[in-house]
């Protein structure tokens, strides 16, 4: 499979999931053969990760492995392609200034569709903190014949980088589920204000919400979808799912991220800044022992390109282990902590 047919398969909305997986596997293979970067999940290896002030930048092999988070890659690649089409209409005749922050070694969210656009239509800035990733991308641009495109490779920290001029499009996927560990929040807060009016930031919105959920039951539903018609009691979040919504604990949008981060820096009494907290109350239910407090992450990549619960690694549920043995009526202060290891903190509040 060459890059052109990979691109066509990914953008074709009628492609089956199997065809999409095959196309992304082919892309990953082409890239690793050309660059020598081997995708590796590196789940328990911190080696080569960059521990930055605003979060962890995963190493090039782990970043390459993100390609096979299939639904994620497809939603983002289609979203990026659609966003560029939209921006071409919004800014006719302009060469679009595009910053791809955290491009990794394969520039996965853009490279598969770059061939759709003429060299003069785009000015690309591909940024990563890992030089090895930038070297790899340089090699791929040559390998795939994109030498005529205007591309600048930038080694920098995306959470502090200042671009010399306004951007039409920023692409940044520097996140894990429940916005833990990686610097998506700080990157968005820094880069979104550098867009021109009517510019686009991808992803357009990320929301983390807290629920009481029976994850064993949900897993069984996924194994045996026919059970979805089971009749269940109230408080459900979806067909067949037994969930009780406790609240939105973080809403990240390019329009508000900078102000939220500023407020966090000004108001936090702690050394590490934190967003304004949310108070949640555990719902009293009869079979509470079956439920966990769980964070769910939903992503709007661009317009209708979205990632829902369980669809990708970055929208998997994340159990709040600190809140085991839930007790109805208990209240918690939930705070998203920024700094070098972004994460949620939970503090039990005294009974009213
Ligand atoms: C989750 S990977 C995604 C790679 C690729 N964009 C993709 O979507 O497949 C995140 C990438 O962002 C880079 N990154 C994370 N934080 C960064 C930061 N603050 N500045 C620059 N690069 C960063 C990492 O080095 C890594 O290459």
């Amino acid at each position: 499979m060459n890059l052109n047919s990979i691109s066509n398969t990914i953008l074709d909305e009628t492609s089956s999931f199997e065809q999409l997986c095959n196309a992304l596997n082919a892309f990953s293979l082409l890239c690793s053969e050309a660059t020598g970067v081997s995708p590796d999940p590196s789940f328990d290896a911190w080696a080569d990760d960059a521990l930055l002030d605003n979060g962890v930048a995963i190493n090039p092999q782990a970043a390459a492995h993100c390609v096979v988070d299939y639904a994620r890659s497809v939603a983002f690649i289609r979203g990026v392609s659609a966003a560029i089409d939209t921006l071409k209409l919004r800014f006719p005749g302009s060469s679009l200034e595009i910053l791809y922050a955290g491009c990794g070694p394969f520039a996965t969210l853009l490279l598969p569709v770059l061939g759709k656009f003429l060299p003069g239509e785009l000015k690309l800035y591909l940024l990563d903190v890992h030089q090895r990733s930038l070297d790899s991308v340089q090699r791929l641009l040559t390998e795939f014949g994109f030498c005529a495109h205007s591309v600048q490779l930038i080694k920098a920290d995306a959470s502090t980088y200042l671009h010399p001029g306004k951007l039409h499009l920023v692409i940044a996927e520097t996140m894990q589920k429940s916005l833990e560990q990686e610097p998506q929040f700080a990157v968005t807060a820094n880069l979104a204000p550098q867009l021109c009016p009517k510019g686009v930031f991808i992803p357009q919105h990320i929301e983390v919400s807290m629920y009481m959920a029976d994850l064993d039951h949900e897993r069984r539903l996924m194994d045996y979808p026919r059970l979805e018609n089971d009749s269940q009691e109230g408080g459900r979040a979806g067909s067949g799912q037994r969930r009780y919504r406790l609240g939105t604990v973080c809403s990240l949008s390019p329009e508000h991220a900078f102000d939220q981060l500023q407020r966090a820096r000004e108001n936090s009494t702690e050394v590490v800044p934190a967003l304004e907290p949310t108070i949640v109350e555990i719902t009293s239910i009869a079979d509470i022992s079956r439920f966990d407090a769980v964070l769910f992450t939903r992503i709007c990549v661009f317009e209708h390109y979205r990632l829902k619960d369980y669809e990708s690694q970055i929208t998997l549920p994340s159990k709040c282990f600190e809140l085991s043995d839930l007790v109805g009526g208990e209240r918690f202060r939930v705070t998203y902590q920024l700094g070098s290891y972004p994460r949620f903190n939970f503090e039990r509040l005294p009974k009213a």
Side-chain angles (χ1 to χ4, degrees):
M1 228 176 180
N2 62 21
L3 194 63
N4 198 31
S5 53
I6 290 169
S7 169
N8 290 338
T9 305
I10 295 173
L11 294 181
D12 181 350
E13 306 263 351
T14 66
S15 294
S16 66
F17 188 64
E18 193 186 351
Q19 288 169 321
L20 293 168
C21 296
N22 289 340
L24 287 165
N25 289 338
F27 176 71
S28 178
L29 191 64
L30 281 182
C31 293
S32 63
E33 278 176 359
T35 62
V37 176
S38 310
D40 178 349
S42 316
F43 283 133
D44 38 35
W46 288 79
D48 297 336
D49 288 349
L51 310 182
L52 307 175
D53 288 348
N54 292 299
V56 178
I58 58 172
N59 65 69
Q61 299 94 291
H65 187 72
C66 297
V67 175
V68 298
D69 188 356
Y70 300 108
R72 177 208 77 110
S73 298
V74 169
F76 271 85
I77 293 167
R78 286 180 180 169
V80 165
S81 174
I84 298 176
D85 288 340
T86 299
L87 288 166
K88 278 171 58 180
L89 296 175
R90 271 185 209 169
F91 301 96
S94 299
S95 191
L96 298 176
E97 301 265 335
I98 299 177
L99 173 67
Y100 180 178
C103 58
F106 299 165
T108 303
L109 309 183
L110 179 64
L111 214 46
V113 291
L114 190 51
K116 265 183 62 182
F117 305 101
L118 297 172
E121 290 181 314
L122 315 176
K123 281 203 186 107
L124 304 174
Y125 305 91
L126 306 184
L127 179 151
D128 206 286
V129 77
H130 291 286
Q131 185 61 46
R132 178 129 190 264
S133 284
L134 298 174
D135 295 343
S136 166
V137 170
Q138 177 70 72
R139 168 100 216 134
L140 291 176
L141 290 166
T142 312
E143 182 76 18
F144 293 138
F146 293 129
C147 295
H149 282 70
S150 162
V151 183
Q152 213 173 300
L153 299 167
I154 302 164
K155 181 174 185 303
D157 180 339
S159 64
T160 52
Y161 171 74
L162 272 185
H163 189 74
K166 289 286 180 190
L167 295 156
H168 295 101
L169 174 63
V170 174
I171 307 160
E173 194 280 78
T174 54
M175 66 174 286
Q176 309 222 357
K177 62 183 177 179
S178 66
L179 291 173
E180 184 166 335
Q181 182 178 322
E182 293 189 47
Q184 184 77 28
F185 203 104
V187 168
T188 308
N190 178 49
L191 296 178
Q194 303 188 47
L195 283 169
C196 63
K198 296 202 178 154
V200 173
F201 193 99
I202 282 185
Q204 287 183 307
H205 190 231
I206 300 171
E207 188 168 283
V208 184
S209 299
M210 192 165 163
Y211 285 80
M212 286 163 61
D214 179 348
L215 292 182
D216 289 339
H217 177 75
E218 295 194 5
R219 236 164 265 134
R220 281 197 301 276
L221 281 183
M222 279 185 291
D223 290 344
Y224 303 103
R226 269 172 298 138
L227 284 178
E228 276 194 31
N229 294 326
D230 280 358
S231 86
Q232 300 290 350
E233 66 212 56
R236 299 179 312 185
S239 166
Q241 287 171 340
R242 305 169 71 215
R243 286 190 197 163
Y244 297 83
R245 184 178 160 79
L246 303 181
T248 298
V249 290
C250 182
S251 174
L252 172 55
S253 65
E255 296 78 17
H256 301 119
F258 176 80
D259 288 343
Q260 280 174 286
L261 186 61
Q262 281 299 100
R263 271 203 304 279
R265 287 186 174 141
E266 284 161 15
N267 298 342
S268 290
T269 47
E270 310 294 327
V271 183
V272 178
L275 300 186
E276 278 166 33
T278 310
I279 309 296
V280 300
E281 180 171 327
I282 303 303
T283 310
S284 296
I285 44 168
D287 53 349
I288 198 163
S289 60
R290 301 169 62 117
F291 286 78
D292 285 300
V294 181
L295 298 175
F296 287 91
T297 309
R298 282 113 194 201
I299 303 171
C300 169
V301 176
F302 180 68
E303 295 182 346
H304 63 284
Y305 297 105
R306 288 163 191 254
L307 288 166
K308 300 195 287 273
D309 302 349
Y310 292 101
E311 275 186 342
S312 72
Q313 293 294 320
I314 55 179
T315 58
L316 285 178
S318 174
K319 214 167 170 170
C320 311
F321 288 99
E322 299 90 332
L323 273 68
S324 54
D325 300 328
L326 298 177
V327 175
E330 276 196 334
R331 292 158 72 240
F332 290 87
R333 179 182 286 119
V334 185
T335 315
Y336 186 60
Q337 166 199 303
L338 297 149
S340 58
Y341 194 99
R343 51 162 294 163
F344 283 92
N345 287 322
F346 307 91
E347 185 193 343
R348 183 178 278 107
L349 295 172
K351 287 210 172 101

